[in-house]
Amino acid sequence: MRFDEETASVAAGDSRRLELSGAWNIADKPNGGYLSAIVIRAMRDVAAHPDPLSVTTHFFRPGLPGRRAEVDVEVVRSGRSTSTTRGRLRQDGKDRLSTVAVFGELAGSDVEVGPHADIDPPSIPPPEQCTGRDGGPQGVELPILDRLEVRLDPACEGTGEAELRGWVRFADGRGVDTLALPLFADAFPPSLFNKIGPTGWVPTVELTVHVRRRPVEGWVLARFVVEDLVDGRFIEDGTLWDSSGAVVARSRQLGLLLNVDAADR
Amino acid sequence: MRFDEETASVAAGDSRRLELSGAWNIADKPNGGYLSAIVIRAMRDVAAHPDPLSVTTHFFRPGLPGRRAEVDVEVVRSGRSTSTTRGRLRQDGKDRLSTVAVFGELAGSDVEVGPHADIDPPSIPPPEQCTGRDGGPQGVELPILDRLEVRLDPACEGTGEAELRGWVRFADGRGVDTLALPLFADAFPPSLFNKIGPTGWVPTVELTVHVRRRPVEGWVLARFVVEDLVDGRFIEDGTLWDSSGAVVARSRQLGLLLNVDAADR
């Protein structure tokens, strides 16, 4: 499957190497979730546990598609029930992102042990009644849509609310697993654009994804909301449910709202 | 002020040193927010920007009060508008926690630039009509209450909901600033105990605090909620408002719900 092929790095000395694919681009830059997935996968190879429970990524610079990248990962702490790892992705000698991830072993979405609390999924139309993502009025090119199918709840359109709901899955039929969920959490258009229009550039400073359960097969339902925008900085919260209706991941990012002029400078 | 005295570390070679205070203990272990504050403060000394915008801490082992600790900090990336730093606190040669923090320059709570969105504070009684925190039916000793005044909204009592609201400030009159907010985000009793009772032990795996504005003087209002508890792991969300009613910080942690027997093993 393409996700697995395009996130695979190979050992080269103390480091790992790969060529960044341009297939996960948003406009001319690789999606941050794709870059993170490369590092998370390399971390999982050195961790003693299989599932990412908590992944925090700091984004420093955009990746350069079609060019070689180096990935460094190390185990910071290995415990009985969790392993903590650290990693980074570099190109041209400059760090593009840095990640800390805690791995553990998650239960499936059908398992309930002890007390629990859950967030109910929103009620939205099935994927075939939702609308595909597009480049918006600015006609941004979205090569990533050949890799990920994204469908948006039409009820979100024109509400002026910074909230988006919809569905996501791999376009080539690859199954969903705990490695895919941090990627999916970064694949939706910025919910802030639903409030203020698709103007400007919204780079992520820091994104933390908590994976909560191993997902069952099928479309993943997602909701992203910005409740809090101050002085050009916003917090976006995301929740992902699998096709059984169970919460499988939560995400929160600190993003910047820059105008395009400032971003060009 | 005691917070400033008890979080100060002094340079010793490439590292920094201090003796951990026992005054911020919950039972016999220092509060995680106190340990983090030591590291954040040392990070701020090396960062080119004054305010922590995003602080992610991974907790590995409890701190040992009354014993010497070493703090290591380094700048990972220094940009025009933000600095990213990394740090850790060690005792007996073992990492107790590890932190990544992004520093920048925040506006005051009276400044609004461009589009914004806000979360309204809950309406709760003033501090003098709220109840002090205590050690609960188990009579846990809380030395930290000599350092931080915490008042809880009595309306949260007995609801069975995993939600706590209340007020917090320094007991010695120290003012609130952007360094205090990550500490305050860790000073409330676990909101989960309001749902399941004060049973067991709820260690934090990872805590991220986003500081949103420079607070104005006065009590800080806080709300903590657990909406999501699965297989012994929960996500607790917090929001902090200053006395003007402006959001000044958001927090999210991944915590473990362990029973006391398991914790003793």
Side-chain angles (χ1 to χ4, degrees):
Chain A
M1 302 275 108
R2 288 156 170 173
F3 175 68
D4 306 290
E5 292 157 15
E6 291 163 353
T7 56
S9 56
V10 294
D14 291 340
S15 191
R16 302 183 65 84
R17 281 190 192 155
L18 81 164
E19 183 178 296
L20 287 195
S21 167
W24 301 84
N25 275 14
I26 292 180
D28 59 349
K29 297 183 177 69
N31 168 255
Y34 164 61
L35 300 182
S36 285
I38 294 166
V39 180
I40 298 168
R41 187 166 161 190
M43 289 169 150
R44 196 180 58 173
D45 283 352
V46 299
H49 298 87
D51 300 307
L53 306 184
S54 162
V55 180
T56 296
T57 303
H58 290 82
F59 295 92
F60 299 143
R61 296 176 185 86
L64 307 169
R67 308 254 305 265
R68 199 175 71 181
E70 285 111 54
V71 180
D72 296 309
V73 295
E74 62 177 319
V75 176
V76 178
R77 182 187 175 237
S78 196
R80 190 174 49 84
S81 58
T82 60
S83 317
T84 307
T85 60
R86 192 158 72 180
R88 58 182 180 159
L89 186 144
R90 274 177 302 146
Q91 287 185 296
D92 285 354
K94 289 182 178 167
D95 283 359
R96 305 288 151 170
L97 60 81
S98 156
T99 301
V100 183
V102 181
F103 288 80
E105 188 158 354
L106 286 169
S109 68
D110 52 340
V111 176
E112 294 303 347
V113 182
H116 70 275
D118 257 314
I119 304 170
D120 290 333
S123 178
I124 72 169
E128 58 275 15
Q129 292 171 31
C130 287
T131 48
R133 179 177 180 183
D134 65 30
Q138 297 170 320
V140 175
E141 293 209 30
L142 295 171
I144 193 174
L145 297 182
D146 286 335
R147 291 288 180 270
L148 290 178
E149 285 189 81
V150 174
R151 299 269 184 281
L152 299 174
D153 179 358
C156 295
E157 266 175 54
T159 58
E161 299 290 323
E163 176 171 347
L164 286 178
R165 300 177 296 268
W167 305 93
V168 57
R169 68 177 179 188
F170 287 107
D172 65 0
R174 183 193 185 278
V176 56
D177 59 12
T178 56
L179 195 58
L181 294 170
L183 170 72
F184 288 5
D186 209 341
F188 271 65
S191 61
L192 193 56
F193 286 174
N194 215 43
K195 178 185 172 81
I196 59 168
T199 55
W201 185 46
V202 286
T204 300
V205 176
E206 177 261 307
L207 168 67
T208 296
V209 180
H210 294 114
V211 182
R212 307 292 291 138
R213 290 180 175 96
R214 290 187 182 166
V216 299
E217 205 37 70
W219 285 93
V220 167
L221 171 57
R223 178 175 61 203
F224 295 92
V225 184
V226 173
E227 295 179 294
D228 175 4
L229 163 64
V230 183
D231 195 22
R233 296 181 192 93
F234 64 90
I235 306 283
E236 185 183 64
D237 281 319
T239 307
L240 279 68
W241 294 264
D242 71 7
S243 62
S244 81
V247 174
V248 289
R250 311 274 301 276
S251 72
R252 175 171 285 180
Q253 68 159 275
L254 173 65
L256 301 181
L257 173 62
L258 302 176
N259 65 53
V260 176
D261 289 348
D264 284 345
R265 248 177 248 148
Chain B
M1 302 276 111
R2 286 156 171 175
F3 175 68
D4 305 291
E5 292 158 15
E6 291 163 353
T7 56
S9 55
V10 294
D14 291 339
S15 190
R16 302 184 64 84
R17 280 188 193 159
L18 81 164
E19 183 177 297
L20 288 194
S21 168
W24 301 83
N25 275 15
I26 292 179
D28 59 349
K29 297 182 177 69
N31 169 253
Y34 165 61
L35 300 183
S36 285
I38 293 166
V39 180
I40 298 168
R41 187 166 161 190
M43 289 168 150
R44 197 181 58 175
D45 283 351
V46 299
H49 298 87
D51 301 306
L53 305 184
S54 162
V55 180
T56 297
T57 304
H58 290 81
F59 294 92
F60 299 143
R61 295 176 187 85
L64 307 169
R67 309 253 306 264
R68 199 174 71 181
E70 284 111 55
V71 180
D72 296 311
V73 295
E74 61 176 321
V75 176
V76 177
R77 182 188 175 236
S78 196
R80 190 175 49 85
S81 58
T82 60
S83 319
T84 307
T85 59
R86 191 157 75 182
R88 59 182 181 157
L89 186 145
R90 272 177 303 146
Q91 287 185 295
D92 285 354
K94 289 182 179 168
D95 284 359
R96 305 289 151 171
L97 60 81
S98 157
T99 301
V100 183
V102 181
F103 288 81
E105 189 157 355
L106 286 169
S109 68
D110 52 340
V111 177
E112 293 304 345
V113 182
H116 69 274
D118 257 313
I119 305 171
D120 291 332
S123 176
I124 72 169
E128 58 275 14
Q129 291 169 32
C130 287
T131 48
R133 180 177 179 184
D134 65 31
Q138 296 170 320
V140 175
E141 292 209 32
L142 294 171
I144 194 175
L145 297 182
D146 286 336
R147 291 290 180 268
L148 291 177
E149 285 188 82
V150 174
R151 300 271 184 279
L152 300 173
D153 179 358
C156 296
E157 264 175 56
T159 58
E161 299 290 324
E163 176 171 345
L164 286 177
R165 301 177 296 269
W167 304 93
V168 58
R169 68 177 180 187
F170 286 108
D172 64 1
R174 183 194 185 277
V176 57
D177 59 13
T178 57
L179 194 58
L181 294 170
L183 169 72
F184 287 5
D186 208 342
F188 271 66
S191 60
L192 192 57
F193 286 173
N194 214 44
K195 178 185 172 79
I196 60 167
T199 56
W201 185 46
V202 286
T204 300
V205 175
E206 177 261 306
L207 168 67
T208 296
V209 179
H210 294 115
V211 181
R212 306 292 292 136
R213 291 180 173 97
R214 289 187 183 166
V216 299
E217 205 37 69
W219 284 93
V220 167
L221 172 56
R223 178 176 60 203
F224 295 91
V225 184
V226 173
E227 294 180 293
D228 176 4
L229 164 64
V230 182
D231 196 22
R233 297 181 191 92
F234 64 90
I235 306 282
E236 185 183 65
D237 281 321
T239 307
L240 279 68
W241 293 264
D242 71 6
S243 62
S244 82
V247 173
V248 289
R250 312 272 303 275
S251 72
R252 177 171 283 180
Q253 69 158 275
L254 173 65
L256 302 180
L257 173 62
L258 303 177
N259 64 52
V260 176
D261 287 350
D264 283 346
R265 248 178 250 149

